[in-house]
Amino acid sequence: MQTAPKSLRTHILFAGRVNSGKSTLVNLLAGQNVAITSQERGTTTDVVEKSMELRPAGPVVLLDSAGTDDDSTLGVLRVERTYKALKRADALVIVTTPGVWGEPEAELLSAATEDKIPVIMVVNKSDTASKEEVFSALPESKSPPIAVSAVDTSVANRDRFVEQFTAALLTVLPEEHFAAQVLLQDLVPENGHVLMMVPIDSQAPKGRLILPQVQAIRDALDGNAICTVAKESAFPEIYSRFTRLPDLVVCDSQVVKKMIETIPEGVKCTTFSILMARMKGDLGQLAAGAAAIASLKENDRILIAEACTHHAGCEDIGRVKIPALLQKKCNCKLNFDFYSGNDFPDELASYALVIHCGGCMLTRKTMLNRLHTVANAGVPVVNYGVCLSYCTGVLNKVLSPFENL
Ligand code: SF4
């Protein structure tokens, strides 16, 4: 894979009224026609995504959205999608035109402020007004607003706009956005040894490892550690060959029991899912959510949420293994709802527990937004790794490498 995974890219949402020129700006940044542009109102009907490298800001995903002032029946649904896309955004670009700042823009700004999403304002079609009028309607902002005229949107002037836009992006994004997201290297000394147990079963993708495993190997190497990867079946044999104990052992949540039975007491160990939970979100919130499993009762509703869709097989972890394990652990019948995809549900209050997947395809910002939404609904949340380790009785063990949870 030559390019950064989507989950490590800065997501930038372009939003504004119908025909404010959002798609023109996205196309200009991308240097190609990603989105259809036209004088017709409402040409963009759904969120369009384009991944690109925006040096020196790094890899980004540009999200082009439908106008937020479209009040037709379909338009209302499109606006909903735009606001859902905002939940995935690291930065919002409010696109407007000279002298225009009203309810649609103010609502976008207020939603972004509530979710702590930094905002860049762009006044498009600036050549249609006097210099004084261009920014006259805008509220104050962290980064000076950008004026874009018809001349600026020509391909010949692309570099100027890209430069201006990137500078604004670097101004508004908080420092922590650029902080390296560490999976495990802080848990292992320089030249230390990480041993990983990876099951290759019917659920494993053909010919490759899954993203959390690949990222963990890369993170160990970035931290100058030695990394050994063993299949579940060969793990005890490989483990017995070491004369020195590994500094950290990591396994897939589904084989956590086998890992713990194999390694001696005192060796630090955890799961890929728990490492991912710490990097992407709030491991403390997920660990605290495990306490709710003990008080689940007959017919409680549980939401199992996955960030991407896949065909569920008979060994599927979210749809088959976790429901079976949880009902066995709680000794009662539970009702499960399943959700997968980009837009996280808003109606959560009726659930006794939310169980989220590892979220390896989500950005940290998106995962934190989801956890925030669940917390606001007053519902406890765990992820697959926490849930499986709790049900197997080894949660304390796999959380022990992390202090101050
Ligand atoms: S469902 Fe979740 S854990 Fe599985 S691949 Fe998608 S984002 Fe990653």
Side-chain angles (χ1 to χ4, degrees):
M1 190 191 284
Q2 296 287 317
T3 55
K6 212 165 138 189
S7 57
L8 296 178
R9 292 175 174 269
T10 303
H11 285 51
I12 309 164
L13 175 68
F14 287 71
R17 297 185 193 214
V18 170
N19 257 359
S20 55
K22 302 174 289 296
S23 303
T24 304
L25 297 180
V26 167
N27 287 345
L28 188 62
L29 274 177
Q32 54 181 267
N33 286 346
V34 178
I36 301 167
T37 56
S38 134
Q39 290 308 310
E40 291 284 319
R41 278 177 67 82
T43 312
T44 307
T45 55
D46 214 339
V47 176
V48 175
E49 298 189 7
K50 170 69 188 168
S51 295
M52 68 174 293
E53 192 71 29
L54 201 57
R55 291 202 174 87
V60 300
V61 178
L62 308 177
L63 305 167
D64 185 19
S65 64
T68 55
D69 59 335
D70 187 345
D71 54 9
S72 64
T73 315
L74 264 182
V76 171
L77 294 173
R78 290 172 193 150
V79 174
E80 224 173 79
R81 287 199 168 250
T82 300
Y83 276 91
K84 291 266 188 191
L86 187 58
K87 296 278 177 198
R88 294 190 274 138
D90 297 291
L92 167 68
V93 182
I94 301 182
V95 183
T96 184
T97 46
V100 175
W101 185 273
E103 218 174 279
E105 292 78 16
E107 277 175 6
L108 279 168
L109 182 60
S110 140
T113 309
E114 198 184 316
D115 284 336
K116 299 190 176 64
I117 298 166
V119 173
I120 297 170
M121 294 178 200
V122 177
V123 180
N124 214 349
K125 309 176 188 178
S126 65
D127 46 325
T128 59
S130 69
K131 219 173 167 188
E132 297 72 48
E133 280 169 325
V134 171
F135 298 132
S136 60
L138 301 187
E140 267 191 32
S141 60
K142 185 175 175 189
S143 161
I146 303 172
V148 179
S149 69
V151 178
D152 297 317
T153 56
S154 70
V155 176
N157 290 324
R158 176 174 179 255
D159 287 354
R160 192 168 67 194
F161 175 65
V162 171
E163 218 170 276
Q164 232 181 337
F165 182 82
T166 311
L169 185 66
L170 291 172
T171 306
V172 298
L173 285 172
E175 235 171 71
E176 65 260 24
H177 179 79
F178 296 101
Q181 292 182 23
V182 165
L183 256 182
L184 57 76
Q185 53 182 278
D186 57 325
L187 304 172
V188 184
E190 180 98 0
N191 299 321
H193 179 200
V194 186
L195 173 60
M196 297 178 186
M197 172 156 64
V198 172
I200 306 290
D201 56 16
S202 64
Q203 294 301 298
K206 205 171 166 54
R208 65 176 172 88
L209 297 176
I210 59 170
L211 193 55
Q213 294 158 356
V214 173
Q215 283 185 284
I217 294 169
R218 172 60 196 261
D219 198 55
L221 298 177
D222 281 343
N224 296 323
I226 299 156
C227 186
T228 309
V229 184
K231 259 171 82 168
E232 176 202 357
S233 52
F235 186 78
E237 159 63 18
I238 301 247
Y239 191 86
S240 69
R241 292 189 198 171
F242 296 125
T243 48
R244 249 181 75 182
L245 293 175
D247 297 288
L248 180 68
V249 184
V250 186
C251 73
D252 190 276
S253 302
Q254 299 183 65
V255 290
V256 65
K257 210 162 172 218
K258 182 163 190 175
M259 171 183 74
I260 291 187
E261 282 166 3
T262 308
I263 61 173
E265 191 66 33
V267 173
K268 274 199 287 190
C269 63
T270 192
T271 66
F272 291 108
S273 183
I274 283 173
L275 289 175
M276 199 49 85
R278 182 177 72 131
M279 186 177 89
K280 295 277 174 190
D282 184 342
L283 182 56
Q285 182 184 357
L286 296 168
I293 298 177
S295 42
L296 288 175
K297 49 188 191 319
E298 187 82 10
N299 284 328
D300 269 350
R301 284 184 76 207
I302 318 276
L303 175 68
I304 298 205
E306 293 191 332
C308 52
T309 40
H310 60 270
H311 172 69
C314 55
E315 290 289 289
D316 190 76
I317 179 169
R319 284 165 201 263
V320 180
K321 285 187 180 169
I322 287 184
L325 202 60
L326 212 52
Q327 293 184 107
K328 191 171 169 208
K329 179 82 183 168
C330 302
N331 197 23
C332 63
K333 184 190 165 296
L334 302 165
N335 295 316
F336 294 91
D337 288 342
F338 301 96
Y339 160 85
S340 62
N342 260 336
D343 305 330
F344 198 57
D346 297 317
E347 299 301 321
L348 296 168
S350 60
Y351 291 107
L353 180 68
V354 171
I355 307 177
H356 203 289
C357 73
C360 65
M361 307 295 240
L362 298 178
T363 63
R364 178 170 161 80
K365 177 87 184 160
T366 308
M367 192 68 205
L368 284 172
N369 265 337
R370 288 184 172 203
L371 293 179
H372 187 63
T373 306
V374 182
N376 278 350
V379 178
V381 56
V382 292
N383 77 347
Y384 284 7
V386 168
C387 180
L388 288 167
S389 295
Y390 178 87
C391 291
T392 323
V394 297
L395 184 61
N396 286 342
K397 177 91 179 153
V398 294
L399 289 180
S400 63
F402 312 100
E403 288 163 12
N404 309 322
L405 278 184

